[in-house]
Amino acid sequence: MQQHQAILAIDTATSICSVSIFARNQVVFEKINEHGRNHAALITGYARQAIEYIKQQNLQLVAIAVNEGPGSYTGLRIGASFAKGLAFGYQIPLIAISGLKALANAFSATLTNENKGNALICPMIDARRMEVYTALYTAYGDEAITPHAQVIDESSFSELPLEKEIYFIGDGALKCASSIKLSNKVHFQNIPSYARNMLFLATEAFDQNNFVDVAYWQPDYIKTYNAIKSTNKVLRGLTKE
């Protein structure tokens, strides 16, 4: 029997704790807990069940993927430590995936090809009060504004092109809905931060040998506020002359 390759993905960056297995270009196993920050107690059991599934299904565990942040400092430390331990123990590569990019990528997959050309995706992870961790992507995965922490007010995102559909997604999006004053066509949706969101990005990283150093890699905590006005050529190209 042919042995299919499997990637075990871990996400503890938010209040959700989740583990997924990617094989045959799909999610074949998943464990999720959405009831608070009990990650340290849950992650070992979830990973044990995932590895048992891999053995039962005759899969070959070839890499560990982990949400690299931004997000909860404690959650990121738990996920990073556990992922590094698994990668070291099984002597397999470690893949670090931006949680913001994973959210944007997962949402982009729900858009039609016709809608993607006119869409910008702004993932938001709650950082308490009116602060979020955020970034901006095209629906094709190009980064227009790099991940950063931002306090949201009525002037936020006023530089975005007016003709675009703007999708604010993630657990920080809904709390910002009443504060963001744009004339654009804007949409707000709470897309949960699940390990499954890393499916395409983790598979792509594995195929390209895009791994991080198990000994020295650290999560992307992004704790300070940065007032960013993008000069990125991707964003400039989105605005009509």
Side-chain angles (χ1 to χ4, degrees):
M1 180 184 296
Q2 181 182 4
Q3 201 173 31
H4 292 280
Q5 294 181 332
I7 298 173
L8 192 157
I10 295 168
D11 191 336
T12 58
T14 68
S15 60
I16 299 170
C17 179
S18 65
V19 169
S20 293
I21 297 171
F22 309 144
R24 300 182 291 273
N25 295 316
Q26 61 184 322
V27 177
V28 297
F29 174 93
E30 186 172 45
K31 293 292 294 184
I32 297 172
N33 181 280
E34 299 180 330
H35 305 296
R37 301 181 187 277
N38 198 27
H39 304 344
L42 294 171
I43 192 66
T44 300
Y46 285 178
R48 184 182 295 114
Q49 292 176 56
I51 291 169
E52 184 61 29
Y53 178 90
I54 287 171
K55 293 177 180 178
Q56 291 174 354
Q57 299 298 314
N58 193 36
L59 300 173
Q60 179 189 7
L61 181 60
V62 293
I64 305 297
V66 63
N67 184 334
E68 72 173 1
S72 158
Y73 182 80
T74 301
L76 289 173
R77 283 176 61 91
I78 292 170
S81 298
F82 198 81
K84 291 169 79 170
L86 284 176
F88 180 81
Y90 282 92
Q91 293 296 293
I92 54 179
L94 178 63
I95 299 168
I97 301 293
S98 164
L100 291 169
K101 189 169 185 178
L103 278 173
N105 188 267
F107 180 78
S108 176
T110 70
L111 298 175
T112 65
N113 289 331
E114 181 180 359
N115 291 336
K116 284 184 177 181
N118 197 44
L120 292 175
I121 303 173
C122 184
M124 290 179 161
I125 294 174
D126 191 1
R128 299 184 180 180
R129 298 184 178 86
M130 288 308 296
E131 187 174 24
V132 295
Y133 300 114
T134 188
L136 188 73
Y137 301 91
T138 71
Y140 298 104
D142 297 313
E143 185 181 273
I145 297 178
T146 57
H148 62 284
Q150 182 169 343
V151 176
I152 303 301
D153 57 30
E154 293 186 358
S155 65
S156 298
F157 306 105
S158 58
E159 76 278 15
L160 298 185
L162 298 178
E163 73 277 5
K164 293 291 183 178
E165 296 270 357
I166 314 296
Y167 295 91
F168 295 95
I169 63 170
D171 67 2
L174 296 184
K175 77 172 186 180
C176 298
S178 61
S179 298
I180 295 175
K181 307 295 183 182
L182 298 177
S183 58
N184 311 55
K185 296 178 181 178
V186 296
H187 313 269
F188 297 87
Q189 189 170 346
N190 181 12
I191 305 295
S193 183
Y194 292 150
R196 66 162 63 187
N197 296 341
M198 293 184 274
L199 169 60
F200 172 78
L201 296 174
T203 302
E204 181 181 59
F206 181 81
D207 291 341
Q208 296 175 358
N209 294 321
N210 187 11
F211 308 129
V212 296
D213 189 294
V214 174
Y216 297 105
W217 171 79
Q218 295 293 327
D220 186 8
Y221 295 111
I222 308 183
K223 286 208 165 185
T224 57
Y225 168 71
N226 298 295
I228 291 180
K229 193 150 193 171
S230 177
T231 57
N232 186 287
K233 63 181 181 180
V234 175
L235 183 56
R236 292 203 306 271
L238 296 171
T239 308
K240 291 181 178 178
E241 299 294 336

